Amino acid sequence: MQQREEKQLESSLESIIQRVNDLKASLAAMIFKIETEYETLNWPKFLDNYALISGQLISLSKVLSHEKGPNLRNLTVLPLLLSPERDEQLVQATEGRITTFSHDLVPPYLRTKLEPMAEQKMIQLELKAQHLQVENAQKQMAAYQKVVSHVWDIVSKAREEWEVEASSRAGTQQNSNQADTHLLVAAVGMGKGLKMGSNPNGQPNSTSGGMMVASQGRPGGPPGPGQLPPSTQAMSMNKAPSAIKTNIKSAAQMHPYGR
């Protein structure tokens, strides 16, 4: 029976030590972020770290209050050996904080009460709370409740505004096409998708800028069937066929008087 209790105590202590070490690492990381990243540390990150520490504290409290776990209040820690010499095992166990387990260090580290200054401060606060009148206490509670309600209203209003703004952003219709934009930039910058034109001799037309031109009739004669008039032909020399649909009218068609 005694060996079973000792094994149970040993496993419980290992679990408690592990959770305490995790909590200590989280606290050290949070303090390091506050000291080094105070300019870039925002409130959501701080709340995430605080939530992690809060969860670890809850997990530790569950282990301490478990039914199968030993009641540590019934156990007493007594020093087996006091020595002013350096103890390497003690240094390793305390991560270098305590080097010797001497008569001067045992009372502060193995005490079961608060420090004298903290205990005196607690007694003063308890006496002050006992002598506080009921009316003054109710006034202070009402003032605190008013401040908390005001802060809650501000946070709720800001949250509603953020939700409305997020929903409006999600419902915004798209008024542009990224594929058409890339196609237009490639056509203007690199001539992608444009066809080479040719002159009457069958050679590529250098003045057309790589664009297709309509076939011409005899010089000075009327345009043949299927041919464009000179004004429209001149306009087509500066116009490049592409896959982009446009709705631009030529100036000759918009002019009210013909020449």
Side-chain angles (χ1 to χ4, degrees):
M1 185 68 178
Q2 186 177 0
Q3 293 180 354
R4 181 180 178 183
E5 291 180 355
E6 290 180 356
K7 290 182 179 179
Q8 187 176 1
L9 176 61
E10 185 177 356
S11 62
S12 299
L13 289 177
E14 289 179 358
S15 178
I16 292 171
I17 291 172
Q18 182 179 358
R19 282 166 173 77
V20 169
N21 289 332
D22 295 339
L23 179 61
K24 183 175 63 175
S26 300
L27 289 172
M30 187 174 182
I31 294 173
F32 179 77
K33 287 183 178 180
I34 294 174
E35 291 179 351
T36 58
E37 302 178 6
Y38 61 92
E39 294 182 355
T40 58
L41 185 65
N42 52 16
W43 186 244
K45 291 182 179 179
F46 183 83
L47 289 180
D48 292 340
N49 294 332
Y50 184 79
L52 177 61
I53 294 173
S54 178
Q56 291 174 347
L57 286 173
I58 294 173
S59 177
L60 179 61
S61 63
K62 287 182 179 180
V63 174
L64 293 174
S65 60
H66 198 270
E67 295 179 356
K68 297 182 179 180
N71 191 1
L72 299 180
R73 295 180 181 273
N74 298 332
L75 301 178
T76 304
V77 179
L78 298 176
L80 299 178
L81 179 63
L82 300 179
S83 175
E85 298 179 358
R86 181 182 176 90
D87 190 352
E88 296 297 335
Q89 294 182 356
L90 184 62
V91 173
Q92 184 178 0
T94 59
E95 297 181 355
R97 291 188 298 270
I98 303 175
T99 57
T100 59
F101 207 55
S102 60
H103 297 76
D104 297 333
L105 297 177
V106 168
Y109 281 104
L110 298 183
R111 64 174 179 264
T112 57
K113 293 184 178 180
L114 298 174
E115 293 183 357
M117 295 179 61
E119 188 175 1
Q120 185 178 2
K121 188 68 175 178
M122 289 293 297
I123 293 173
Q124 292 178 359
L125 293 175
E126 290 177 356
L127 292 175
K128 185 178 179 180
Q130 291 176 1
H131 292 84
L132 185 64
Q133 297 180 1
V134 179
E135 296 180 356
N136 295 334
Q138 291 179 353
K139 289 181 180 179
Q140 291 181 3
M141 291 173 60
Y144 293 152
Q145 188 174 3
K146 185 177 180 181
V147 172
V148 172
S149 300
H150 181 63
V151 174
W152 177 258
D153 293 338
I154 293 175
V155 173
S156 300
K157 185 177 180 181
R159 181 179 180 180
E160 292 178 357
E161 292 178 355
W162 293 339
E163 290 179 352
V164 171
E165 185 178 357
S167 61
S168 63
R169 287 179 180 177
T172 303
Q173 296 182 357
Q174 186 177 2
N175 55 5
S176 62
N177 192 345
Q178 190 174 6
D180 291 346
T181 303
H182 290 323
L183 185 60
L184 179 60
V185 171
V188 174
M190 297 178 289
K192 186 177 180 181
L194 305 181
K195 297 181 180 180
M196 293 290 294
S198 59
N199 55 17
N201 297 326
Q203 299 295 330
N205 193 349
S206 60
T207 60
S208 62
M211 293 180 288
M212 182 177 65
V213 297
S215 61
Q216 299 179 359
R218 292 178 296 175
Q227 295 180 354
L228 299 175
S231 59
T232 309
Q233 187 175 358
M235 292 295 296
S236 65
M237 293 176 63
N238 297 324
K239 185 176 180 182
S242 63
I244 305 173
K245 296 181 180 180
T246 58
N247 192 15
I248 303 175
K249 296 182 179 180
S250 61
Q253 296 177 358
M254 295 178 63
H255 201 284
Y257 302 102
R259 294 184 178 179

